[in-house]
Amino acid sequence: EVQLVESGGGLVQPGGSLRLSCAASGFTFSSSVMSWARQAPGQGLEWVSGIYSDGNTYYADSMKGRFTISRDNAKPTVYLQMNGLKPEDTAVYYCAGRQHRLVSIYGYDYDYWGQGTQVTVSS
């Protein structure tokens, strides 16, 4: 059974930091592309960042310089370090896996999804 379990969300003040984790099981994580996406209240799904099996990373423009995606194939876990958080970063954050060699910004391209973790940025 495939599982993606996110953790690390919570309430943080503007300018603060959080580190999200996504523990994977049930599929070949090391050869899979992994991404983070988010959904704000009343909004559609927004792709945040993706990481290739070799560690190459990609980011949505609004996250560049603030968010860092990484992975540990031995664990197997993917992370999202979020710094300089803003109220507009408030959303449910999901990790997603894809048995493909290319990162995609489209949710429908992903094979596996976690249940999501809530991030709230507020003073």
Side-chain angles (χ1 to χ4, degrees):
E1 179 188 6
V2 172
Q3 282 195 316
L4 292 173
V5 181
E6 300 100 333
S7 61
L11 174 64
V12 63
Q13 292 187 342
S17 298
L18 282 175
R19 187 194 196 205
L20 306 183
S21 299
C22 173
S25 62
F27 65 101
T28 310
F29 178 86
S30 59
S31 61
S32 297
V33 162
M34 299 298 295
S35 280
W36 287 94
R38 68 186 186 183
Q39 187 164 24
Q43 303 295 316
L45 192 67
E46 177 185 23
W47 178 81
V48 171
S49 178
I51 185 166
Y52 285 88
S53 58
D54 64 0
N56 283 332
T57 59
Y58 290 88
Y59 299 91
D61 287 344
S62 61
M63 287 65 164
K64 286 180 182 176
R66 298 192 300 127
F67 291 7
T68 303
I69 190 172
S70 61
R71 66 190 296 160
D72 185 338
N73 289 338
K75 287 203 174 180
T77 300
V78 61
Y79 305 96
L80 186 68
Q81 176 68 43
M82 305 186 293
N83 299 326
L85 284 163
K86 306 174 183 179
E88 52 264 42
D89 293 317
T90 295
V92 177
Y93 284 71
Y94 299 91
C95 73
R98 187 181 190 210
Q99 298 278 20
H100 197 278
R101 63 184 184 89
L102 297 177
V103 167
S104 172
I105 65 171
Y106 301 108
Y108 54 71
D109 282 333
Y110 287 82
D111 303 303
Y112 315 118
W113 288 88
Q115 83 289 349
T117 186
Q118 177 70 47
V119 171
T120 302
V121 185
S122 175
S123 55

PDB file of all heavy atoms in Angstrom, residues 27-62:
ATOM      1  N   PHE A  27       6.219   2.392  -2.556  1.00  0.00           N
ATOM      2  CA  PHE A  27       6.598   2.570  -3.954  1.00  0.00           C
ATOM      3  C   PHE A  27       8.084   2.884  -4.003  1.00  0.00           C
ATOM      4  O   PHE A  27       8.721   3.110  -2.970  1.00  0.00           O
ATOM      5  CB  PHE A  27       5.773   3.671  -4.638  1.00  0.00           C
ATOM      6  CG  PHE A  27       5.993   5.059  -4.106  1.00  0.00           C
ATOM      7  CD1 PHE A  27       6.799   5.963  -4.783  1.00  0.00           C
ATOM      8  CD2 PHE A  27       5.382   5.478  -2.930  1.00  0.00           C
ATOM      9  CE1 PHE A  27       6.995   7.250  -4.304  1.00  0.00           C
ATOM     10  CE2 PHE A  27       5.570   6.760  -2.436  1.00  0.00           C
ATOM     11  CZ  PHE A  27       6.386   7.654  -3.123  1.00  0.00           C
ATOM     12  N   THR A  28       8.631   2.898  -5.215  1.00  0.00           N
ATOM     13  CA  THR A  28      10.070   3.095  -5.380  1.00  0.00           C
ATOM     14  C   THR A  28      10.395   4.576  -5.276  1.00  0.00           C
ATOM     15  O   THR A  28      10.491   5.292  -6.278  1.00  0.00           O
ATOM     16  CB  THR A  28      10.549   2.514  -6.715  1.00  0.00           C
ATOM     17  OG1 THR A  28      10.071   1.163  -6.858  1.00  0.00           O
ATOM     18  CG2 THR A  28      12.067   2.523  -6.781  1.00  0.00           C
ATOM     19  N   PHE A  29      10.565   5.026  -4.050  1.00  0.00           N
ATOM     20  CA  PHE A  29      10.766   6.451  -3.779  1.00  0.00           C
ATOM     21  C   PHE A  29      12.006   6.989  -4.472  1.00  0.00           C
ATOM     22  O   PHE A  29      11.991   8.078  -5.043  1.00  0.00           O
ATOM     23  CB  PHE A  29      10.872   6.651  -2.268  1.00  0.00           C
ATOM     24  CG  PHE A  29      11.128   8.072  -1.839  1.00  0.00           C
ATOM     25  CD1 PHE A  29      10.069   8.948  -1.667  1.00  0.00           C
ATOM     26  CD2 PHE A  29      12.420   8.531  -1.609  1.00  0.00           C
ATOM     27  CE1 PHE A  29      10.281  10.252  -1.257  1.00  0.00           C
ATOM     28  CE2 PHE A  29      12.654   9.830  -1.209  1.00  0.00           C
ATOM     29  CZ  PHE A  29      11.575  10.693  -1.030  1.00  0.00           C
ATOM     30  N   SER A  30      13.084   6.251  -4.426  1.00  0.00           N
ATOM     31  CA  SER A  30      14.371   6.771  -4.900  1.00  0.00           C
ATOM     32  C   SER A  30      14.359   7.142  -6.371  1.00  0.00           C
ATOM     33  O   SER A  30      15.118   8.008  -6.806  1.00  0.00           O
ATOM     34  CB  SER A  30      15.473   5.749  -4.633  1.00  0.00           C
ATOM     35  OG  SER A  30      15.188   4.532  -5.293  1.00  0.00           O
ATOM     36  N   SER A  31      13.499   6.506  -7.160  1.00  0.00           N
ATOM     37  CA  SER A  31      13.441   6.805  -8.587  1.00  0.00           C
ATOM     38  C   SER A  31      12.239   7.663  -8.951  1.00  0.00           C
ATOM     39  O   SER A  31      11.972   7.888 -10.134  1.00  0.00           O
ATOM     40  CB  SER A  31      13.412   5.511  -9.403  1.00  0.00           C
ATOM     41  OG  SER A  31      12.274   4.735  -9.084  1.00  0.00           O
ATOM     42  N   SER A  32      11.530   8.149  -7.962  1.00  0.00           N
ATOM     43  CA  SER A  32      10.322   8.935  -8.197  1.00  0.00           C
ATOM     44  C   SER A  32      10.587  10.426  -8.075  1.00  0.00           C
ATOM     45  O   SER A  32      11.386  10.859  -7.248  1.00  0.00           O
ATOM     46  CB  SER A  32       9.226   8.556  -7.199  1.00  0.00           C
ATOM     47  OG  SER A  32       8.829   7.214  -7.352  1.00  0.00           O
ATOM     48  N   VAL A  33       9.900  11.182  -8.906  1.00  0.00           N
ATOM     49  CA  VAL A  33       9.849  12.629  -8.750  1.00  0.00           C
ATOM     50  C   VAL A  33       8.885  12.935  -7.602  1.00  0.00           C
ATOM     51  O   VAL A  33       7.821  12.332  -7.500  1.00  0.00           O
ATOM     52  CB  VAL A  33       9.359  13.279 -10.061  1.00  0.00           C
ATOM     53  CG1 VAL A  33       8.868  14.687  -9.820  1.00  0.00           C
ATOM     54  CG2 VAL A  33      10.455  13.246 -11.103  1.00  0.00           C
ATOM     55  N   MET A  34       9.260  13.889  -6.754  1.00  0.00           N
ATOM     56  CA  MET A  34       8.409  14.284  -5.638  1.00  0.00           C
ATOM     57  C   MET A  34       8.160  15.785  -5.708  1.00  0.00           C
ATOM     58  O   MET A  34       9.049  16.555  -6.094  1.00  0.00           O
ATOM     59  CB  MET A  34       9.058  13.933  -4.305  1.00  0.00           C
ATOM     60  CG  MET A  34       9.328  12.446  -4.100  1.00  0.00           C
ATOM     61  SD  MET A  34       7.840  11.443  -4.100  1.00  0.00           S
ATOM     62  CE  MET A  34       6.997  12.070  -2.625  1.00  0.00           C
ATOM     63  N   SER A  35       6.973  16.176  -5.315  1.00  0.00           N
ATOM     64  CA  SER A  35       6.625  17.599  -5.318  1.00  0.00           C
ATOM     65  C   SER A  35       5.821  17.952  -4.077  1.00  0.00           C
ATOM     66  O   SER A  35       5.252  17.069  -3.413  1.00  0.00           O
ATOM     67  CB  SER A  35       5.797  17.960  -6.552  1.00  0.00           C
ATOM     68  OG  SER A  35       6.598  18.131  -7.689  1.00  0.00           O
ATOM     69  N   TRP A  36       5.779  19.242  -3.818  1.00  0.00           N
ATOM     70  CA  TRP A  36       4.872  19.821  -2.830  1.00  0.00           C
ATOM     71  C   TRP A  36       3.899  20.719  -3.580  1.00  0.00           C
ATOM     72  O   TRP A  36       4.293  21.446  -4.507  1.00  0.00           O
ATOM     73  CB  TRP A  36       5.619  20.634  -1.792  1.00  0.00           C
ATOM     74  CG  TRP A  36       6.391  19.807  -0.804  1.00  0.00           C
ATOM     75  CD1 TRP A  36       7.707  19.454  -0.883  1.00  0.00           C
ATOM     76  CD2 TRP A  36       5.903  19.245   0.416  1.00  0.00           C
ATOM     77  NE1 TRP A  36       8.058  18.703   0.200  1.00  0.00           N
ATOM     78  CE2 TRP A  36       6.974  18.565   1.025  1.00  0.00           C
ATOM     79  CE3 TRP A  36       4.670  19.252   1.074  1.00  0.00           C
ATOM     80  CZ2 TRP A  36       6.853  17.898   2.242  1.00  0.00           C
ATOM     81  CZ3 TRP A  36       4.540  18.591   2.281  1.00  0.00           C
ATOM     82  CH2 TRP A  36       5.617  17.922   2.854  1.00  0.00           C
ATOM     83  N   ALA A  37       2.656  20.685  -3.148  1.00  0.00           N
ATOM     84  CA  ALA A  37       1.623  21.567  -3.683  1.00  0.00           C
ATOM     85  C   ALA A  37       0.809  22.077  -2.499  1.00  0.00           C
ATOM     86  O   ALA A  37       0.893  21.517  -1.395  1.00  0.00           O
ATOM     87  CB  ALA A  37       0.736  20.809  -4.671  1.00  0.00           C
ATOM     88  N   ARG A  38       0.057  23.122  -2.728  1.00  0.00           N
ATOM     89  CA  ARG A  38      -0.742  23.673  -1.642  1.00  0.00           C
ATOM     90  C   ARG A  38      -2.089  24.137  -2.142  1.00  0.00           C
ATOM     91  O   ARG A  38      -2.260  24.422  -3.330  1.00  0.00           O
ATOM     92  CB  ARG A  38       0.001  24.827  -0.965  1.00  0.00           C
ATOM     93  CG  ARG A  38       0.151  26.065  -1.829  1.00  0.00           C
ATOM     94  CD  ARG A  38       1.023  27.087  -1.122  1.00  0.00           C
ATOM     95  NE  ARG A  38       1.079  28.350  -1.863  1.00  0.00           N
ATOM     96  CZ  ARG A  38       1.824  29.388  -1.493  1.00  0.00           C
ATOM     97  NH1 ARG A  38       2.573  29.322  -0.406  1.00  0.00           N
ATOM     98  NH2 ARG A  38       1.810  30.485  -2.221  1.00  0.00           N
ATOM     99  N   GLN A  39      -3.033  24.200  -1.214  1.00  0.00           N
ATOM    100  CA  GLN A  39      -4.362  24.697  -1.543  1.00  0.00           C
ATOM    101  C   GLN A  39      -4.817  25.635  -0.443  1.00  0.00           C
ATOM    102  O   GLN A  39      -5.015  25.208   0.708  1.00  0.00           O
ATOM    103  CB  GLN A  39      -5.348  23.546  -1.713  1.00  0.00           C
ATOM    104  CG  GLN A  39      -6.703  23.988  -2.230  1.00  0.00           C
ATOM    105  CD  GLN A  39      -7.532  22.844  -2.751  1.00  0.00           C
ATOM    106  OE1 GLN A  39      -7.341  21.694  -2.373  1.00  0.00           O
ATOM    107  NE2 GLN A  39      -8.459  23.145  -3.637  1.00  0.00           N
ATOM    108  N   ALA A  40      -4.952  26.897  -0.802  1.00  0.00           N
ATOM    109  CA  ALA A  40      -5.431  27.909   0.130  1.00  0.00           C
ATOM    110  C   ALA A  40      -6.955  27.856   0.188  1.00  0.00           C
ATOM    111  O   ALA A  40      -7.602  27.355  -0.739  1.00  0.00           O
ATOM    112  CB  ALA A  40      -4.964  29.279  -0.324  1.00  0.00           C
ATOM    113  N   PRO A  41      -7.543  28.390   1.251  1.00  0.00           N
ATOM    114  CA  PRO A  41      -8.991  28.372   1.385  1.00  0.00           C
ATOM    115  C   PRO A  41      -9.683  29.009   0.184  1.00  0.00           C
ATOM    116  O   PRO A  41      -9.348  30.128  -0.211  1.00  0.00           O
ATOM    117  CB  PRO A  41      -9.236  29.192   2.657  1.00  0.00           C
ATOM    118  CG  PRO A  41      -7.978  29.064   3.440  1.00  0.00           C
ATOM    119  CD  PRO A  41      -6.886  28.992   2.439  1.00  0.00           C
ATOM    120  N   GLY A  42     -10.582  28.274  -0.433  1.00  0.00           N
ATOM    121  CA  GLY A  42     -11.336  28.792  -1.557  1.00  0.00           C
ATOM    122  C   GLY A  42     -10.573  28.872  -2.862  1.00  0.00           C
ATOM    123  O   GLY A  42     -11.084  29.429  -3.845  1.00  0.00           O
ATOM    124  N   GLN A  43      -9.351  28.333  -2.876  1.00  0.00           N
ATOM    125  CA  GLN A  43      -8.506  28.415  -4.070  1.00  0.00           C
ATOM    126  C   GLN A  43      -8.237  27.026  -4.635  1.00  0.00           C
ATOM    127  O   GLN A  43      -8.476  26.019  -3.983  1.00  0.00           O
ATOM    128  CB  GLN A  43      -7.175  29.095  -3.721  1.00  0.00           C
ATOM    129  CG  GLN A  43      -7.314  30.473  -3.114  1.00  0.00           C
ATOM    130  CD  GLN A  43      -7.904  31.465  -4.085  1.00  0.00           C
ATOM    131  OE1 GLN A  43      -7.534  31.512  -5.256  1.00  0.00           O
ATOM    132  NE2 GLN A  43      -8.859  32.260  -3.607  1.00  0.00           N
ATOM    133  N   GLY A  44      -7.719  27.001  -5.840  1.00  0.00           N
ATOM    134  CA  GLY A  44      -7.337  25.747  -6.460  1.00  0.00           C
ATOM    135  C   GLY A  44      -5.977  25.275  -5.983  1.00  0.00           C
ATOM    136  O   GLY A  44      -5.288  25.950  -5.212  1.00  0.00           O
ATOM    137  N   LEU A  45      -5.600  24.102  -6.449  1.00  0.00           N
ATOM    138  CA  LEU A  45      -4.310  23.534  -6.078  1.00  0.00           C
ATOM    139  C   LEU A  45      -3.190  24.297  -6.779  1.00  0.00           C
ATOM    140  O   LEU A  45      -3.268  24.568  -7.983  1.00  0.00           O
ATOM    141  CB  LEU A  45      -4.272  22.062  -6.470  1.00  0.00           C
ATOM    142  CG  LEU A  45      -3.133  21.220  -5.918  1.00  0.00           C
ATOM    143  CD1 LEU A  45      -3.260  21.060  -4.409  1.00  0.00           C
ATOM    144  CD2 LEU A  45      -3.098  19.857  -6.597  1.00  0.00           C
ATOM    145  N   GLU A  46      -2.150  24.626  -6.029  1.00  0.00           N
ATOM    146  CA  GLU A  46      -1.006  25.368  -6.567  1.00  0.00           C
ATOM    147  C   GLU A  46       0.262  24.558  -6.358  1.00  0.00           C
ATOM    148  O   GLU A  46       0.591  24.192  -5.220  1.00  0.00           O
ATOM    149  CB  GLU A  46      -0.878  26.721  -5.858  1.00  0.00           C
ATOM    150  CG  GLU A  46       0.315  27.542  -6.303  1.00  0.00           C
ATOM    151  CD  GLU A  46       0.493  28.819  -5.501  1.00  0.00           C
ATOM    152  OE1 GLU A  46      -0.007  28.880  -4.359  1.00  0.00           O
ATOM    153  OE2 GLU A  46       1.133  29.756  -6.003  1.00  0.00           O
ATOM    154  N   TRP A  47       0.985  24.285  -7.436  1.00  0.00           N
ATOM    155  CA  TRP A  47       2.262  23.600  -7.323  1.00  0.00           C
ATOM    156  C   TRP A  47       3.282  24.522  -6.690  1.00  0.00           C
ATOM    157  O   TRP A  47       3.367  25.700  -7.027  1.00  0.00           O
ATOM    158  CB  TRP A  47       2.722  23.138  -8.707  1.00  0.00           C
ATOM    159  CG  TRP A  47       4.049  22.451  -8.717  1.00  0.00           C
ATOM    160  CD1 TRP A  47       4.319  21.160  -8.400  1.00  0.00           C
ATOM    161  CD2 TRP A  47       5.308  23.032  -9.083  1.00  0.00           C
ATOM    162  NE1 TRP A  47       5.657  20.900  -8.533  1.00  0.00           N
ATOM    163  CE2 TRP A  47       6.291  22.034  -8.952  1.00  0.00           C
ATOM    164  CE3 TRP A  47       5.701  24.298  -9.500  1.00  0.00           C
ATOM    165  CZ2 TRP A  47       7.632  22.263  -9.228  1.00  0.00           C
ATOM    166  CZ3 TRP A  47       7.036  24.526  -9.771  1.00  0.00           C
ATOM    167  CH2 TRP A  47       7.983  23.501  -9.638  1.00  0.00           C
ATOM    168  N   VAL A  48       4.085  23.981  -5.767  1.00  0.00           N
ATOM    169  CA  VAL A  48       5.048  24.778  -5.005  1.00  0.00           C
ATOM    170  C   VAL A  48       6.482  24.489  -5.444  1.00  0.00           C
ATOM    171  O   VAL A  48       7.253  25.400  -5.759  1.00  0.00           O
ATOM    172  CB  VAL A  48       4.901  24.487  -3.501  1.00  0.00           C
ATOM    173  CG1 VAL A  48       6.029  25.125  -2.692  1.00  0.00           C
ATOM    174  CG2 VAL A  48       3.544  24.963  -2.993  1.00  0.00           C
ATOM    175  N   SER A  49       6.835  23.201  -5.450  1.00  0.00           N
ATOM    176  CA  SER A  49       8.225  22.841  -5.698  1.00  0.00           C
ATOM    177  C   SER A  49       8.302  21.359  -6.050  1.00  0.00           C
ATOM    178  O   SER A  49       7.454  20.577  -5.634  1.00  0.00           O
ATOM    179  CB  SER A  49       9.056  23.119  -4.447  1.00  0.00           C
ATOM    180  OG  SER A  49      10.406  22.746  -4.643  1.00  0.00           O
ATOM    181  N   GLY A  50       9.350  21.005  -6.808  1.00  0.00           N
ATOM    182  CA  GLY A  50       9.556  19.611  -7.164  1.00  0.00           C
ATOM    183  C   GLY A  50      11.024  19.236  -7.086  1.00  0.00           C
ATOM    184  O   GLY A  50      11.898  20.105  -7.206  1.00  0.00           O
ATOM    185  N   ILE A  51      11.276  17.950  -6.896  1.00  0.00           N
ATOM    186  CA  ILE A  51      12.650  17.476  -6.798  1.00  0.00           C
ATOM    187  C   ILE A  51      12.782  16.166  -7.555  1.00  0.00           C
ATOM    188  O   ILE A  51      11.955  15.252  -7.439  1.00  0.00           O
ATOM    189  CB  ILE A  51      13.084  17.327  -5.320  1.00  0.00           C
ATOM    190  CG1 ILE A  51      14.565  16.957  -5.217  1.00  0.00           C
ATOM    191  CG2 ILE A  51      12.197  16.342  -4.565  1.00  0.00           C
ATOM    192  CD1 ILE A  51      15.133  17.141  -3.795  1.00  0.00           C
ATOM    193  N   TYR A  52      13.842  16.093  -8.366  1.00  0.00           N
ATOM    194  CA  TYR A  52      14.126  14.893  -9.131  1.00  0.00           C
ATOM    195  C   TYR A  52      14.812  13.861  -8.254  1.00  0.00           C
ATOM    196  O   TYR A  52      15.289  14.158  -7.162  1.00  0.00           O
ATOM    197  CB  TYR A  52      15.011  15.233 -10.324  1.00  0.00           C
ATOM    198  CG  TYR A  52      14.286  15.930 -11.438  1.00  0.00           C
ATOM    199  CD1 TYR A  52      14.157  17.304 -11.465  1.00  0.00           C
ATOM    200  CD2 TYR A  52      13.708  15.203 -12.478  1.00  0.00           C
ATOM    201  CE1 TYR A  52      13.487  17.937 -12.492  1.00  0.00           C
ATOM    202  CE2 TYR A  52      13.043  15.828 -13.508  1.00  0.00           C
ATOM    203  CZ  TYR A  52      12.943  17.193 -13.509  1.00  0.00           C
ATOM    204  OH  TYR A  52      12.265  17.811 -14.536  1.00  0.00           O
ATOM    205  N   SER A  53      14.879  12.649  -8.774  1.00  0.00           N
ATOM    206  CA  SER A  53      15.525  11.576  -8.024  1.00  0.00           C
ATOM    207  C   SER A  53      16.994  11.877  -7.761  1.00  0.00           C
ATOM    208  O   SER A  53      17.551  11.429  -6.758  1.00  0.00           O
ATOM    209  CB  SER A  53      15.380  10.246  -8.778  1.00  0.00           C
ATOM    210  OG  SER A  53      15.948  10.346 -10.068  1.00  0.00           O
ATOM    211  N   ASP A  54      17.609  12.664  -8.629  1.00  0.00           N
ATOM    212  CA  ASP A  54      19.032  12.995  -8.450  1.00  0.00           C
ATOM    213  C   ASP A  54      19.241  14.233  -7.592  1.00  0.00           C
ATOM    214  O   ASP A  54      20.372  14.658  -7.382  1.00  0.00           O
ATOM    215  CB  ASP A  54      19.715  13.178  -9.796  1.00  0.00           C
ATOM    216  CG  ASP A  54      19.170  14.355 -10.599  1.00  0.00           C
ATOM    217  OD1 ASP A  54      18.255  15.032 -10.111  1.00  0.00           O
ATOM    218  OD2 ASP A  54      19.659  14.581 -11.719  1.00  0.00           O
ATOM    219  N   GLY A  55      18.143  14.835  -7.102  1.00  0.00           N
ATOM    220  CA  GLY A  55      18.254  15.981  -6.208  1.00  0.00           C
ATOM    221  C   GLY A  55      18.083  17.332  -6.870  1.00  0.00           C
ATOM    222  O   GLY A  55      18.058  18.356  -6.165  1.00  0.00           O
ATOM    223  N   ASN A  56      18.005  17.386  -8.184  1.00  0.00           N
ATOM    224  CA  ASN A  56      17.736  18.670  -8.843  1.00  0.00           C
ATOM    225  C   ASN A  56      16.364  19.189  -8.423  1.00  0.00           C
ATOM    226  O   ASN A  56      15.410  18.418  -8.287  1.00  0.00           O
ATOM    227  CB  ASN A  56      17.793  18.516 -10.353  1.00  0.00           C
ATOM    228  CG  ASN A  56      19.222  18.448 -10.862  1.00  0.00           C
ATOM    229  OD1 ASN A  56      20.135  18.992 -10.254  1.00  0.00           O
ATOM    230  ND2 ASN A  56      19.429  17.774 -11.973  1.00  0.00           N
ATOM    231  N   THR A  57      16.283  20.500  -8.241  1.00  0.00           N
ATOM    232  CA  THR A  57      15.075  21.093  -7.679  1.00  0.00           C
ATOM    233  C   THR A  57      14.501  22.178  -8.572  1.00  0.00           C
ATOM    234  O   THR A  57      15.227  22.831  -9.336  1.00  0.00           O
ATOM    235  CB  THR A  57      15.369  21.696  -6.297  1.00  0.00           C
ATOM    236  OG1 THR A  57      16.398  22.687  -6.428  1.00  0.00           O
ATOM    237  CG2 THR A  57      15.823  20.625  -5.318  1.00  0.00           C
ATOM    238  N   TYR A  58      13.191  22.376  -8.432  1.00  0.00           N
ATOM    239  CA  TYR A  58      12.488  23.429  -9.153  1.00  0.00           C
ATOM    240  C   TYR A  58      11.462  24.056  -8.220  1.00  0.00           C
ATOM    241  O   TYR A  58      10.919  23.381  -7.345  1.00  0.00           O
ATOM    242  CB  TYR A  58      11.812  22.860 -10.396  1.00  0.00           C
ATOM    243  CG  TYR A  58      12.797  22.464 -11.458  1.00  0.00           C
ATOM    244  CD1 TYR A  58      13.360  21.185 -11.467  1.00  0.00           C
ATOM    245  CD2 TYR A  58      13.208  23.369 -12.438  1.00  0.00           C
ATOM    246  CE1 TYR A  58      14.296  20.832 -12.412  1.00  0.00           C
ATOM    247  CE2 TYR A  58      14.146  23.007 -13.394  1.00  0.00           C
ATOM    248  CZ  TYR A  58      14.681  21.735 -13.370  1.00  0.00           C
ATOM    249  OH  TYR A  58      15.609  21.377 -14.302  1.00  0.00           O
ATOM    250  N   TYR A  59      11.214  25.362  -8.444  1.00  0.00           N
ATOM    251  CA  TYR A  59      10.316  26.101  -7.579  1.00  0.00           C
ATOM    252  C   TYR A  59       9.375  26.974  -8.392  1.00  0.00           C
ATOM    253  O   TYR A  59       9.756  27.510  -9.444  1.00  0.00           O
ATOM    254  CB  TYR A  59      11.108  26.994  -6.624  1.00  0.00           C
ATOM    255  CG  TYR A  59      12.041  26.240  -5.718  1.00  0.00           C
ATOM    256  CD1 TYR A  59      13.355  26.001  -6.089  1.00  0.00           C
ATOM    257  CD2 TYR A  59      11.591  25.748  -4.497  1.00  0.00           C
ATOM    258  CE1 TYR A  59      14.211  25.282  -5.265  1.00  0.00           C
ATOM    259  CE2 TYR A  59      12.438  25.035  -3.669  1.00  0.00           C
ATOM    260  CZ  TYR A  59      13.742  24.802  -4.059  1.00  0.00           C
ATOM    261  OH  TYR A  59      14.579  24.088  -3.233  1.00  0.00           O
ATOM    262  N   ALA A  60       8.171  27.168  -7.858  1.00  0.00           N
ATOM    263  CA  ALA A  60       7.311  28.210  -8.391  1.00  0.00           C
ATOM    264  C   ALA A  60       7.962  29.558  -8.098  1.00  0.00           C
ATOM    265  O   ALA A  60       8.658  29.718  -7.079  1.00  0.00           O
ATOM    266  CB  ALA A  60       5.924  28.118  -7.746  1.00  0.00           C
ATOM    267  N   ASP A  61       7.756  30.519  -8.970  1.00  0.00           N
ATOM    268  CA  ASP A  61       8.464  31.803  -8.852  1.00  0.00           C
ATOM    269  C   ASP A  61       8.263  32.467  -7.494  1.00  0.00           C
ATOM    270  O   ASP A  61       9.202  33.045  -6.931  1.00  0.00           O
ATOM    271  CB  ASP A  61       8.015  32.748  -9.968  1.00  0.00           C
ATOM    272  CG  ASP A  61       8.572  32.342 -11.316  1.00  0.00           C
ATOM    273  OD1 ASP A  61       9.524  31.534 -11.357  1.00  0.00           O
ATOM    274  OD2 ASP A  61       8.054  32.832 -12.340  1.00  0.00           O
ATOM    275  N   SER A  62       7.065  32.391  -6.953  1.00  0.00           N
ATOM    276  CA  SER A  62       6.781  33.098  -5.702  1.00  0.00           C
ATOM    277  C   SER A  62       7.452  32.449  -4.487  1.00  0.00           C
ATOM    278  O   SER A  62       7.501  33.036  -3.417  1.00  0.00           O
ATOM    279  CB  SER A  62       5.279  33.180  -5.469  1.00  0.00           C
ATOM    280  OG  SER A  62       4.716  31.885  -5.360  1.00  0.00           O
TER     281      SER A  62
END
